[in-house]
Amino acid sequence: MGQVKVSINDRSYTVACGDGEENHVRELAAYINKHVTGLAQEVGQVGDARLLLMAGLLVADELSEALQKVKMLEQELENLSSQRASAADRTRQAEDALADVLDEAARRLEDLTRRIEAA
């Protein structure tokens, strides 16, 4: 199991992580630190716990919005897939109708050819 040292609000923390996940954990910590630093500039140093709580809430809000967008995009994808299937059905029906018309025209041409040859 790996360990990585991260810095949040100028404080170092050692975090355990899976082997190979060290860079990802550093990136996540940098993202949290960006929020904490921004909050500290806005509201001042109100304590690590409160800053981390506020940063956590901001990240949770971002995640909530992202999940809503994903859900909306999944619904849109489902609708588009349904529309595509419906369009494919209409295309097949149109092709079948065209084939019937062409078959009927060919049958009439054959009948006319037979009449002309018989005359």
Side-chain angles (χ1 to χ4, degrees):
M1 178 161 251
Q3 284 192 341
V4 63
K5 194 172 251 189
V6 298
S7 179
I8 308 265
N9 199 26
D10 295 327
R11 294 190 193 268
S12 290
Y13 299 91
T14 301
V15 179
C17 62
D19 290 334
E21 294 180 352
E22 293 85 359
N23 285 335
H24 184 63
V25 171
R26 283 187 195 100
E27 290 171 1
L28 294 173
Y31 188 72
I32 295 292
N33 188 52
K34 182 180 84 170
H35 281 290
V36 169
T37 303
L39 286 168
Q41 290 173 353
E42 284 182 38
V43 299
Q45 289 292 342
V46 294
D48 287 340
R50 183 166 284 172
L51 286 173
L52 287 171
L53 169 65
M54 293 167 69
L57 290 172
L58 288 173
V59 171
D61 185 50
E62 291 173 0
L63 175 62
S64 175
E65 287 179 15
L67 290 173
Q68 286 176 352
K69 286 180 184 178
V70 166
K71 189 174 185 178
M72 181 185 72
L73 290 171
E74 286 174 340
Q75 182 63 45
E76 187 175 331
L77 179 61
E78 186 177 314
N79 290 342
L80 289 172
S81 294
S82 175
Q83 289 173 4
R84 183 175 149 247
S86 178
D89 285 343
R90 288 192 306 273
T91 299
R92 277 192 293 279
Q93 290 172 357
E95 288 172 349
D96 290 346
L98 179 59
D100 290 345
V101 167
L102 291 175
D103 285 345
E104 179 61 23
R107 189 189 59 74
R108 286 183 179 181
L109 286 172
E110 289 172 359
D111 285 347
L112 283 173
T113 301
R114 272 187 247 136
R115 285 186 205 166
I116 290 172
E117 288 175 351

